[in-house]
Amino acid sequence: MRRAMLVVSVQPGQEVMETIAAQLAERGVTDGAVVSLIGAVDECCISNMPAEDASKDILTEYRQPFELTGTGEVKNGKVHLHVVLGREGDAALAGHLHWARVETFFVNAYVLAL
């Protein structure tokens, strides 16, 4: 069975997680693989686990532009994304994406529905 690749586009003025979830819900997708993310965001919140307790999250918010790439999944309608963010000075950050706003460019998510 051949599955079609869905493209979800997040445009200026939109939030990444909400927009991807809403567009997939409109298409009836409740489960899938986010095989690729590409684009840029202007602010975001990611988390990582503290070394002493992997069951917790350390959330950090950033208010600056980032190049973004990532992957993830959609399970029971919930979007779960892990990203790598590149910023000025050729530095990279990585983690679980909680939210991100697009103001200048776009983010495209390529999704295979399961």
Side-chain angles (χ1 to χ4, degrees), residues 15-70:
E15 195 281 318
V16 173
M17 300 295 287
E18 291 172 358
T19 302
I20 292 172
Q23 286 189 30
L24 291 176
E26 288 172 9
R27 297 177 188 185
V29 176
T30 58
D31 295 283
V34 180
V35 297
S36 180
L37 290 166
I38 188 167
V41 299
D42 295 86
E43 57 184 355
C44 63
C45 177
I46 62 172
S47 69
N48 288 281
M49 301 172 284
E52 65 280 351
D53 188 350
S55 68
K56 298 188 180 190
D57 279 332
I58 300 170
L59 278 74
T60 307
E61 293 186 358
Y62 298 92
R63 308 260 187 245
Q64 66 183 87
F66 287 99
E67 300 286 340
L68 176 144
T69 186

Side-chain angles (χ1 to χ4, degrees), residues 56-94:
K56 298 188 180 190
D57 279 332
I58 300 170
L59 278 74
T60 307
E61 293 186 358
Y62 298 92
R63 308 260 187 245
Q64 66 183 87
F66 287 99
E67 300 286 340
L68 176 144
T69 186
T71 59
E73 66 180 359
V74 182
K75 199 167 192 179
N76 298 320
K78 184 168 171 57
V79 178
H80 182 120
L81 301 175
H82 286 196
V83 296
V84 176
L85 303 160
R87 63 181 175 178
E88 181 180 17
D90 302 325
L93 300 169

